[in-house]
Amino acid sequence: LKSTAIHALGGIKSAAESIGVTQSAIHQWPELLPKRLEDRVIAAIARKRMPELVRALQADKPAA
């Protein structure tokens, strides 16, 4: 959903910056995102959270 995507990306301004579109473009999204926009949101979330995910994975590794 549009509202979920915006929330996950930290608001409209942050969502627009993360995905590389204008805030106006975000406002024009339908509430039920098509697959292409859903994929862009997922990729933006992954990029945004990557350092956190890497740290979590490294913390789970057993000592060599």
Side-chain angles (χ1 to χ4, degrees):
L1 295 176
K2 172 183 173 178
S3 56
T4 303
I6 290 170
H7 178 74
L9 290 167
I12 291 176
K13 182 178 180 181
S14 179
E17 290 171 356
S18 296
I19 295 174
V21 298
T22 64
Q23 292 180 45
S24 178
I26 302 285
H27 284 291
Q28 294 176 34
W29 285 358
E31 186 56 27
L32 182 59
L33 297 179
K35 183 77 172 136
R36 67 182 174 78
L37 289 177
E38 184 181 315
D39 288 345
R40 290 181 74 180
V41 168
I42 291 168
I45 291 169
R47 279 191 307 273
K48 188 175 187 176
R49 310 260 169 129
M50 190 60 65
E52 165 187 333
L53 293 171
V54 169
R55 280 192 304 274
L57 289 171
Q58 288 173 340
D60 287 342
K61 280 186 184 177

